[in-house]
Amino acid sequence: MSPEMFVQSHTPFADLIQHTDDRDKKKTPLKDKTILVCGGDGDNCRRVAESYGFTSVVTPADIITSAPTIWPFTSPQSYTAHARPLPHPIYSPSSTSSTHLTISSIFVFNDPRDWALDTQLIIDILLSEGGVLGTMRSDSHPNHDHLAPNIPLYFSNPDLHWASQYHLPRLGQGGFKAAFMGVWKETHRGIPLNGKTIGKPSQETFEFAEKRLMKHRRELLKTPKEEAGGLRKVYMVGDNPLSDIQGGNDYLSPFGSKWDTILVRSGVYSDSEKPPHKPRKTVDGVWDAVQWALKKEGWPTDVEKMGAKSEHKGKGLGLSSSDSTMKGMG
């Protein structure tokens, strides 16, 4: 299976590499600026960001190993295996360097592992002078509430809970965001902070996923874009009513497709509670969802027969002339 077939919560960040800031007279694309990437194990998220095209990616590990006093409650030694040298030194009053570490945007790619460290660094950057870590804007003092931070902050997943191997749901990135916003509110009352959240159930994430589906369908059908047409029906399968089902129900396709939602009981959702967003169908697991959707579209649910029908039509399993497909997004 190709990586193009997967859409994770942070995948739409790839569309931002050519983004430019209106305040930047040089109009340098974001891919050529330095960004801070938080979350994930080790430097996995850094490598993912680089695969998207970002060329200067800094992580909290790089910062804490370069400046251990920036957060004295974390041992830098635990980060050295995944740290890289900073592209420029961090500003300090005694610094003699003419260039200092400047962060243009902050991305929370995945659930942060050290909430305290990441919270402190994000606040430092948001309150800095033009993203120069170690500085503070004169108008960012808690008593100055008229100007919001001008460093973009992106979250990739609003999910408060997720299903792990533990028998009860665990806090996800949405939990970190809520905690961060709580700290911000308490320390900088009155200063607005509008971090951009993508991921389910956002319109942007579903639109990105549909574009990927359309591209994948064209490749399966070996049909030019102008001849392939759009999707008629998409089935959104998920275990979280607050992201998967809400997103599928609310999504307004700019391409004219219709979306049906299927809630599975094999993850976050439990029958003991009424889902806040009603799905079209509730089933036990993903396989049951696939079977229900295929039957609804008039496809045989027997694997061998389904393969024969696909071969006969020559248009690809599940992506035939019915223009229907299944999609699950991480």
Side-chain angles (χ1 to χ4, degrees), residues 70-81:
I70 203 166
W71 183 249
F73 307 110
T74 292
S75 170
Q77 285 71 31
S78 61
Y79 290 95
T80 53

Side-chain angles (χ1 to χ4, degrees), residues 171-182:
L171 286 173
Q173 190 183 140
F176 170 76
K177 179 183 177 182
F180 175 80
M181 292 301 190

Side-chain angles (χ1 to χ4, degrees), residues 125-141:
I125 294 167
L126 291 176
L127 299 179
S128 67
E129 188 69 53
V132 179
L133 187 59
T135 65
M136 177 174 281
R137 286 164 47 203
S138 59
D139 53 41
S140 61
H141 188 275

Side-chain angles (χ1 to χ4, degrees), residues 12 15 196-199 201-210 251:
D15 278 357
K196 176 68 174 177
T197 302
I198 63 166
S202 73
Q203 172 78 15
E204 293 93 338
T205 291
F206 279 80
E207 185 173 330
F208 183 91
E210 185 170 11
Y251 176 55

Side-chain angles (χ1 to χ4, degrees), residues 54-133:
F54 294 103
T55 59
S56 181
V57 182
V58 169
T59 68
D62 305 339
I63 295 173
I64 191 66
T65 53
S66 176
T69 58
I70 203 166
W71 183 249
F73 307 110
T74 292
S75 170
Q77 285 71 31
S78 61
Y79 290 95
T80 53
H82 306 289
R84 296 182 189 174
L86 294 173
H88 301 287
I90 297 173
Y91 172 83
S92 70
S94 60
S95 175
T96 59
S97 176
S98 59
T99 306
H100 299 95
L101 179 64
T102 303
I103 303 297
S104 296
S105 295
I106 304 165
F107 292 88
V108 183
F109 261 62
N110 194 258
D111 302 11
R113 278 24 176 195
D114 190 335
W115 286 23
L117 172 62
D118 290 10
T119 295
Q120 183 66 75
L121 294 181
I122 293 173
I123 287 178
D124 284 347
I125 294 167
L126 291 176
L127 299 179
S128 67
E129 188 69 53
V132 179
L133 187 59

